[in-house]
Amino acid sequence: MRVEWPTLGLILACYAVWVAGLFWLSAIWMPLAFLALILSIALQSSLQHEVIHGHPFPGRRWGAALVYASLNLAIPYGRFRDTHLSHHLDSTLTDPYDDPESNYLDPAVWGRLAGPVRALLRANNTLLGRMVLGPLIGQVTFMAGDLRQIRAGNRRVLMSWLGHGAMMALILWIVSLSVVPVWAYLLACYAGLAVLKIRTFLEHQAHEKVRGRTVIVEDRGLLAFLFLNNNFHVVHHMHPRTPWYRLPGLYFANRDKYLTRNDGYRYRSYGQIFRRHFLRAKDPVPHPLWPRD
């Protein structure tokens, strides 16, 4: 059986950092433990994404067993898998209805929202807002949609949440054995999700052409590592089975091809994104090209 050892090793290292944050670093200095928990929670979500795309093993079953318990406590692995694979139908990218990861709303829906809700969603479209408000807004919206599916009789969604509930109980039991308070762990989960919102903030844009909807962020720093190079996002969408550690080399060896492919939708770094959009929205909330014919 083919094994991608860099990915498998990173999965094990991620859990080692998580355990160290709970049981070792917390006894030395709690802020350091808190940082370790945030980083490991964010990284595990990126590793779940790798497993969804068939890493580190040829099939998803063994990989899923390694990452099934979501350290962030927010999103069931099964729901992440199903919605993310739907997202990879590139023809529907940014569609307010058919793309599960779209940040746009149908303008007709936007027009019916109350003023305070609009203000909240506008704030959520700045990078600061997406990090502070985004995890809560995203979780409430996601759970409300899944609750509607469960009420409609979708057993697959129900079973994903039941399995997730069991894993939540296990994780919180482990946390209770450490000196890290449960409230601090929940705060670390929120912060880990906030870090992940940096990646998703602008990785897709409204564009008439499908190929122009997916970003490249030419960053090789800590955030790129935590996101497992998913900032080279158009490369990932074109080659979803390529492992994370090969994406940068593939991009830089064919840079002009990929930038032509996505109509030059590119940022030099996450620093540039922070400077441009920390307090200023990049996009409107209602989809600017909607409705389509």
Side-chain angles (χ1 to χ4, degrees):
M1 180 173 66
R2 173 185 58 82
V3 177
E4 294 172 0
W5 293 105
T7 304
L8 180 59
L10 190 57
I11 290 172
L12 299 178
C14 177
Y15 289 128
V17 172
W18 185 72
V19 170
L22 288 176
F23 295 101
W24 179 48
L25 297 175
S26 57
I28 299 173
W29 192 37
M30 191 61 74
L32 185 59
F34 190 66
L35 178 61
L37 290 173
I38 293 171
L39 296 179
S40 56
I41 288 167
L43 180 59
Q44 196 232 11
S45 181
S46 297
L47 288 164
Q48 288 180 320
H49 172 263
E50 285 294 299
V51 170
I52 286 169
H53 286 287
H55 313 288
F57 306 113
R60 295 193 187 99
R61 179 176 299 177
W62 291 106
L66 292 175
V67 299
Y68 184 79
S70 296
L71 299 183
N72 61 45
L73 303 180
I75 307 297
Y77 171 78
R79 296 299 296 134
F80 183 16
R81 177 196 60 219
D82 293 348
T83 57
H84 185 71
L85 291 177
S86 295
H87 163 78
H88 266 267
L89 181 61
D90 281 10
S91 61
T92 64
L93 284 175
T94 75
D95 186 302
Y97 296 104
D98 293 336
D99 179 2
E101 297 182 14
S102 177
N103 289 308
Y104 295 100
L105 289 181
D106 183 335
V109 173
W110 174 255
R112 294 193 296 267
L113 295 178
V117 177
R118 288 191 186 189
L120 184 68
L121 294 179
R122 285 195 186 100
N124 186 52
N125 256 22
T126 67
L127 182 53
L128 174 61
R130 190 65 57 86
M131 294 175 67
V132 175
L133 303 172
L136 179 60
I137 292 173
Q139 188 69 16
V140 169
T141 303
F142 183 78
M143 292 181 70
D146 273 15
L147 182 59
R148 286 193 294 269
Q149 292 195 58
I150 292 170
R151 286 176 172 173
N154 192 323
R155 289 184 56 83
R156 185 178 178 88
V157 175
L158 175 61
M159 295 307 295
S160 287
W161 278 100
L162 290 177
H164 180 63
M167 293 299 100
M168 285 180 62
L170 174 62
I171 290 169
L172 291 175
W173 174 72
I174 294 173
V175 172
S176 72
L177 299 178
S178 74
V179 298
V180 176
V182 171
W183 65 263
Y185 186 78
L186 296 178
L187 188 59
C189 289
Y190 198 94
L193 293 169
V195 170
L196 293 169
K197 290 296 183 182
I198 301 170
R199 176 179 65 79
T200 61
F201 176 65
L202 46 61
E203 67 186 8
H204 295 289
Q205 66 172 350
H207 196 285
E208 290 284 0
K209 299 176 182 178
V210 171
R211 64 184 181 86
R213 296 176 189 168
T214 305
V215 77
I216 286 290
V217 183
E218 295 177 335
D219 198 298
R220 300 301 305 277
L222 176 61
L223 287 176
F225 172 71
L226 288 177
F227 305 152
L228 295 184
N229 297 319
N230 215 17
N231 45 298
F232 298 98
H233 207 55
V234 74
V235 185
H236 168 64
H237 268 259
M238 290 176 67
H239 312 286
R241 298 284 297 192
T242 299
W244 61 277
Y245 49 87
R246 291 182 180 160
L247 293 176
L250 188 58
Y251 170 70
F252 286 111
N254 303 275
R255 185 173 183 270
D256 291 342
K257 181 186 81 169
Y258 290 115
L259 292 178
T260 299
R261 167 78 180 184
N262 78 344
D263 273 8
Y265 184 33
R266 163 191 168 271
Y267 288 85
R268 291 190 306 274
S269 66
Y270 282 108
Q272 182 185 31
I273 294 171
F274 269 85
R275 289 190 295 272
R276 288 189 182 182
H277 300 298
F278 191 64
L279 297 174
R280 184 173 69 244
K282 175 185 176 292
D283 294 314
V285 181
H287 199 296
L289 303 178
W290 195 267
R292 303 183 187 278
D293 293 334

